[in-house]
Amino acid sequence: MEQQREEQARKLQRLQCAVQNYDWGLPASASRVASLHALNAGASLDPRNPYAELWMGTHDSGPCYLKNNSNANSSNYHSEKNNGPAAPTTLKSWLLQNPCVLGERVLVNWGCDLPFLFKVLSVGKALSIQAHPDKELARALHKRLPDIYKDANHKPEMALALTQFEALCGFVSLEDLKDVVAGVPEVAELIGNRNKDQVLNFNVKHGQEKFKPVLQEAFTRLMSADKDLVAEVVSKVKCRLQSEIQLRELKERELLVLRLEEQYPGDVGVISAFFLNYVRLKPGEALYLGANEPHAYLSGECVECMAASDNVVRAGLTPKLRDVPTLCSMLTYKQGHPEILRGVSVNPYIKKYLPPFDEFEVDSCALPQGASTAFPAVPGPSIFLVMAGQGTIEADSLREEIAEGDVFFVAADCEILLTAETQLQIFRAGVSSKFLYRQ
């Protein structure tokens, strides 16, 4: 019987998750991350702190811990059973002790660890102009600067909007960039006449691949410009737009530039916003980003999933360390508007968001009061987040009451049944089904 209880306990584990108080987060009173953290950890909130990210995974920079509930019966959980409560057990250490819960295919490919990191983000002001390295570059950066680049993994990611969500992502089309260079004198001043002429004189018929070196040279010149010159030019664009707003209606991107200047006065990221696509997601829409693609989240709240990494190469809109040469050399310089995912219906209650990465996918479940739905068993691990509402979660013979802020680890090959007592909103992160069922 004890062995059976231990076997059941491995299938469903309630988690206490980490919170990050980055300065771009929202204040406690307005942050979904803050409210989820308070419920998940039973923690009091500091109204002086911004609440930016809730982390659900095994990354060392923000580990999850197993909570002492009815499922935590295993001797692995209480190593000091006879001498008072043990130190909290991290999900990562528990997975090392119970690798079978990950499934054979995940174990073979990624070892005794979750290949994905699941988050909630509350964005109050712009994050840095940044990109995430591919695996080869991540290994090199981690070896060279381990205190800055904390792991050797790549970091493809996806943001699924909970509210209206704004981002900069990827480079604008050649046609749009020609308009920028011709119509924004401050951009032309920072990239120089030679780069300006190269952009304006490039024949679109020659194709995007041949334009990439031109774009790289212009963008690198911009991002590498002298700090004092940048501050002067940013001041010029601010003054010009504030003057012109009296005479005409400013374009959306111009209004964005003024907003960014308020947040980061004199920063080169203000000008670089002219180079990048301005994307606005509605709730339920998702944006995914591969390695070496420039981006910056601007405002709103989202669920985010990524490969299990915290590697970020920054070059603007940040007080943190910037690595401009690395960022400008690593980018793909692909142009055009990014693909927006709207989810594929699995059943009347569940939508699946499946980006082109092996490490993760995300399901969104909206369950009306009194309804039930099942998540079929899959040969890989999952993390379930209760975003709103109350109900129950069942895994085989295990049944748990659930409410907003609850987070669960679910083992491979375990079917989950959800029942809503009130309207229930659930998000699930798991390994990509394309990877799990690939022949």
Side-chain angles (χ1 to χ4, degrees), residues 36-175:
L36 290 171
H37 169 61
L39 293 166
N40 176 262
S44 58
L45 300 175
D46 187 341
R48 298 167 298 180
N49 277 345
Y51 286 82
E53 296 188 352
L54 185 75
W55 285 29
M56 298 164 282
T58 55
H59 197 281
D60 292 338
S61 296
C64 284
Y65 293 88
L66 273 60
K67 295 179 88 167
N68 185 10
N69 62 11
S70 60
N71 293 336
N73 298 317
S74 168
S75 60
N76 290 327
Y77 187 84
H78 285 294
S79 59
E80 301 175 23
K81 188 184 296 184
N82 300 320
N83 298 302
T89 301
T90 65
L91 176 59
K92 187 170 185 175
S93 64
W94 185 79
L95 291 175
L96 286 168
Q97 296 169 339
N98 299 277
C100 60
V101 301
L102 292 167
E104 183 179 357
R105 195 153 199 180
V106 172
L107 273 172
V108 168
N109 207 63
W110 290 290
C112 298
D113 205 354
L114 285 181
F116 59 86
L117 177 58
F118 198 24
K119 296 182 181 181
V120 181
L121 270 61
S122 294
V123 182
K125 66 176 184 178
L127 282 68
S128 53
I129 301 288
Q130 61 182 254
H132 306 303
D134 58 28
K135 288 184 177 181
E136 182 179 357
L137 179 58
R139 285 191 290 267
L141 291 173
H142 179 61
K143 184 176 181 180
R144 180 164 58 92
L145 298 166
D147 292 338
I148 298 168
Y149 302 105
K150 310 255 182 205
D151 55 73
N153 199 15
H154 69 161
K155 191 185 175 186
E157 65 186 24
M158 179 176 70
L160 170 54
L162 297 171
T163 66
Q164 295 288 330
F165 193 80
E166 296 178 291
L168 294 171
C169 175
F171 288 101
V172 298
S173 68
L174 174 56
E175 293 84 354

Side-chain angles (χ1 to χ4, degrees), residues 244-258:
E244 291 183 11
I245 201 171
Q246 309 300 322
L247 305 173
R248 64 179 178 89
E249 186 175 347
L250 294 186
K251 298 175 183 177
E252 291 174 337
R253 190 178 298 272
E254 292 173 325
L255 292 171
L256 172 62
V257 163
L258 286 177

Side-chain angles (χ1 to χ4, degrees), residues 211-258:
F211 183 67
K212 284 182 179 181
V214 177
L215 176 56
Q216 180 172 357
E217 186 176 342
F219 188 70
T220 301
R221 173 74 179 269
L222 168 71
M223 301 304 289
S224 307
D226 176 78
K227 188 176 180 180
D228 291 337
L229 175 61
V230 168
E232 180 184 329
V233 170
V234 171
S235 180
K236 283 182 183 179
V237 76
K238 174 186 175 181
C239 292
R240 178 174 64 80
L241 293 178
Q242 287 179 335
S243 175
E244 291 183 11
I245 201 171
Q246 309 300 322
L247 305 173
R248 64 179 178 89
E249 186 175 347
L250 294 186
K251 298 175 183 177
E252 291 174 337
R253 190 178 298 272
E254 292 173 325
L255 292 171
L256 172 62
V257 163
L258 286 177

